[in-house]
Amino acid sequence: GYLPQPWDGQPPAPVDQTRYYGGFGQKDVKPSADSPLLKLGAERIPPLVTTAVLLDAKAAVGGGNAMKAGQLVTARDIESMLERQGLSKRGILPADVVLIHTGWSERWRDPDTEKSYYAMAPGLAYDAAQYLAQRRIVAIGLDTPFIDPVAEGMLAGKAPPAPGTPAGLPFAVHHHMLTQAGIHQLENMKLDEAVNQRLWTSCVMVLPLRTQGAGGSPIRPVLIGPPAAR
């Protein structure tokens, strides 16, 4: 979904003053709780056919181990991974899709029988979200159920949001990407095979279902490109 503007320390604005990406108000987007999205619905998402940049945070941040719940991928980490993978000269360009492999997908199990994968995860630091938004990427994807970092117990109110999160806005990365920057989010990505092939840059194709008024869509992303030299 699309969330209102971030809290700045002042009392929340009345609903009729809420602003969504593109300057739309609450009545334009979702006038009632049971209304579909009248604006910004999934039917408005175009096919994404562009360049993907794949960053291996499991190797660079986790030291070869899957990142831990609540662990952050910072802006500095992104620059370090670009250098480590021979991409520092290219960098992150406008219209890129950025994919980050944390290793968290190794913990995936049937959610009906095993609850930890969807209860917590590593994710982007707030400064990383700002860094990527400034570079005008079109989508960010992680092998996690959230883009934000979620420490163990955070969803139950037993752990605080990650350091650097704006006050009063626990899912600030999700919020910043969607409502301020208009950047799509790809969750639960399977990136291990692409990492094993060192497919650091590729042509990516993402075709969302054009479901009228929906807040998201199932996708089957495809990466096409030559593996990097070892």
Side-chain angles (χ1 to χ4, degrees), residues 29-32 34-39 212-214:
V29 178
K30 192 174 177 67
S32 64
D34 59 356
S35 171
L37 298 182
L38 305 183
K39 301 282 187 181
Q212 186 79 26

Side-chain angles (χ1 to χ4, degrees), residues 98-109:
V98 175
L99 305 174
I100 299 179
H101 175 244
T102 70
W104 189 254
S105 56
E106 297 170 12
R107 300 183 57 143
W108 192 91
R109 300 292 184 275

Side-chain angles (χ1 to χ4, degrees), residues 204-217:
V204 61
M205 292 181 286
V206 182
L207 307 178
L209 300 179
R210 302 188 67 185
T211 307
Q212 186 79 26
S217 170

Side-chain angles (χ1 to χ4, degrees), residues 164-178:
T165 302
L169 196 64
F171 282 86
V173 172
H174 174 99
H175 179 109
H176 183 76
M177 290 299 204
L178 284 177

Side-chain angles (χ1 to χ4, degrees), residues 114-157:
E114 203 283 332
K115 307 297 183 182
S116 69
Y117 173 85
Y118 285 99
M120 51 191 153
L124 287 182
Y126 191 64
D127 73 337
Q130 295 174 307
Y131 174 95
L132 293 173
Q134 288 167 1
R135 282 151 181 80
R136 304 307 302 160
I137 67 171
V138 298
I140 173 70
L142 276 71
D143 58 339
T144 60
F146 328 99
I147 301 302
D148 292 80
V150 176
E152 184 172 4
M154 178 180 155
L155 295 183

